[in-house]
Amino acid sequence: MLMRELRFGWAVAAALAGCLLTLPAAAQPQTQIIVNFEDGSAQGFEPRAGQEVLEVSAQSAKSGRYALQVTGRKQDWNGPSLRIDTIVEEGAEYIVTAWVHALGPDSSNFRLSTQIGEGASASYANLAAATASFNTGWVELRGSYRYSNTSSGYITLYIENDTADAEYLIDDITVQKKEGSDVRADLALPSLKQLYQDAFLIGTAFSPQDLHGVRFDLLRHHFNAATAENMMKPVTLQSAPGVYAFDGADQAVQTLLDAGLALHGHTLAWHQQSPVWLNTDARGKPISRQEAERNLVQYARDVAVHFAGKVTSWDVLNEAMMDNPPNPSSWQDSLRKSGWFLAFANGAKAPQGGADYVAAVFLAAREADPSAVLYYNDYNLDDQDKAQAVAAMVKQVNEEYLAQGHDRLLIEGVGMQGHYHLGTKAEDVEASLRRFIDLGVRVSITELDVTVGSAAKQGLTPQQELQQAAQYARLFQIYKQYAQHIDRVTFWGMDDGTSWRAPQFPLLFRADLSAKPAFFAVADPEGFLAGYDDTPQAPAVRRGRAAYGTPQLGSDDALWQQAEPFAIDQMLQAWDTASGEARVLWDKHYLYVRVQAGDDVPHSSGAQAQDRDSVEVFLDEANGKTSAFNADDARYLVDIENRADAYPEGGGEGFASAVSVQDHGYTVELKLPFRRVAPRAGRIIGFDIQINDAQSGARTGAAIWNDISGNAGQDPSRWGEIELIAPADEQAQTADPVIAGPAKRQAQPALGSAALWGLAAGGAIAAVACAILVRKRKRK
Ligand code: XIL
């Protein structure tokens, strides 16, 4: 066993022992590894690819005398690797640290990673990264990981480097179980599937890690339906034309069928997670209509035939409609210009364009598996315009099918994905539900989760957990009311730790599988809401700070660094493609805003301003928080090509903007005149920033700083606030100096309770602090 082979360097042992003695007994790590090479051996490290050369070396060490030198690498994933399966307990979280020292002169990127399983079913995760060159000296990589499934019996840690032949030293590798991180699934809780057995199926998205151990117990306890989170998507099932990889999905499907669950197939046609060649050639151009039709029909048929008799329903077509369609009364115009649409349009006779790909894929699925219920599936369907376009599509496709003499609908169900957030309005969800029910189709909620936009890294505050629970309760009240028309309510995963939206804690169970208030709210929505104070509370308003100074636009002025960054991190749409950071400065006449937007591919073809990569800034000079625009309110939009659009028109005297584009993003700088209010230190101004990310002429993602209502462009009442901070030379004279910096930030309402939360997590934090202490002592 690995632990027994390891020998502590005496300094580490003494320091660590001393440190551990000061911790309460319960906080002591139960399992840990410390590797420091002080016995002159590699202490279990092996070359990951076989060809790497690992030698204990005394040229430099993080602590003690020795480190491990790594040479002979040929690819980025090569490096030293250590088996840790001997100590990892299933479900628990581990804190991992390692020190690296680059030997080459050039800087390169290190990654500390973990591998779970071997061969085709292996999965990998990066725990930490750092850039370093020889002169940087020793650099720490620190991360953590929860090992949800240890059934493979093979788990390693390894240290890789983006530069294929980079050479380096490693030292002082520690692996320590995070105190209190054991799983706490409670199988005595009432089962959701039983509570809702007379209403609808209760489903979950699943990944391979869910089909084993305690996760599988939890899954079987609460759910009677399942959708593969990724395993049945085109990109997973088909690697090359005619080459299918069904093994993984088949195994999972069988396991779930044996456990008595209903299987829902997801998805046959989609613009994402699909092999590009299905509809697009090597130069990025759409293939011909005939070829595309052949590929689409062939794929849908092969896959639907393969799973026939196993799945009860299919998401035949996923996310075909654009967001915020400008002309929702035409569903054809509102279709996303996806690879499938464009290829079907390539050679089509007008006026149908490429829109008939919709019926084509449903027809293929019907023919291949007549027993399956066929769904159209999409997100943001609480948006009435998008819902209108989808309803029109479903209606027309079905009418044409019936007119051909069929006695059954072609699109039999609409899947409302349900990627919601705290700002989602239950009445919008209900309006869309009714709209689809009125078409005579079934409805399923297919990917339900409720994100909390301003969540701190450590987790939700008790108040946020309750707000989230209330949102789930309101949704379930509606679902129960329309249960007759609803087949299934599927959550997009079981727990926050493995959710695709993990940083926003959107699900019913925490990462340790304990039930959140959201679980109890779903189990009994009426009961929950009866005990919940639902008087609309003013949502906590984010308050940022503008530093004093007059920057020169477009010059990367160093002044910006004096302003604190604002994270534009609250998503307004299901896909989180938009993100960025802003800084704000002010002087006696203007407010200056610099937004750094992350963006991989610039898109500026959209006809409407918001459908291009762009940045919006909202300003309420008197901070009147009115629900309609007054004379002191302004809105500015600047797109990636520096085209500006402002309200009031022209943006006011002196309004100017500059844009620069980088490899993975772009920077917008704006100079906004104070038009109505004389700025002075201490003044609070209503303020918000939104980043729009576009693709092929349509907005695909939007993120905002404060106002998550989705209505910031019309209604100033929910914008955030900024405080104008006194110039540095005046600050010294004020009695109560306002000093920018992290200490002050923690006192803000949104972060304050997160800090408390951190204190509550005492044991774990003490352990980490202890590790840091050890390191400090050794450095002397
Ligand atoms: C998501 C998965 O959850 C992620 O693991 C994956 O990286 C991306 O796709 N709409 C859908 C789902 O239809 O397939 C998406 O699933 C979430 C949004």
Side-chain angles (χ1 to χ4, degrees), residues 229-230 233 266 270 273 318-319 377 417 419 447 492 500 575:
E229 183 170 3
N230 289 301
K233 290 174 178 173
H266 173 79
W270 190 20
Q273 291 182 275
N318 197 31
E319 302 184 353
N377 192 50
Q417 289 187 2
H419 294 296
E447 305 183 13
W492 206 236
W500 77 311
W575 289 95

Side-chain angles (χ1 to χ4, degrees), residues 555-632:
S555 70
D556 209 12
D557 201 313
L559 262 183
W560 291 111
Q561 296 314 316
Q562 299 190 5
E564 69 184 34
F566 300 41
I568 320 298
D569 56 0
Q570 307 212 61
M571 285 184 305
L572 294 173
Q573 295 186 184
W575 289 95
D576 63 347
T577 55
S579 67
E581 194 180 90
R583 290 171 198 260
V584 187
L585 292 163
W586 69 284
D587 63 19
K588 294 275 144 50
H589 303 285
Y590 297 97
L591 192 76
Y592 304 89
V593 184
R594 178 180 208 262
V595 185
Q596 178 65 54
D599 198 337
D600 276 345
V601 194
H603 288 97
S604 54
S605 64
Q608 303 205 93
Q610 284 198 335
D611 291 331
R612 305 192 283 263
D613 286 343
S614 56
V615 160
E616 289 179 81
V617 175
F618 306 101
L619 210 60
D620 175 4
E621 289 183 35
N623 197 26
K625 298 218 170 345
T626 48
S627 52
F629 272 54
N630 281 350
D632 68 320

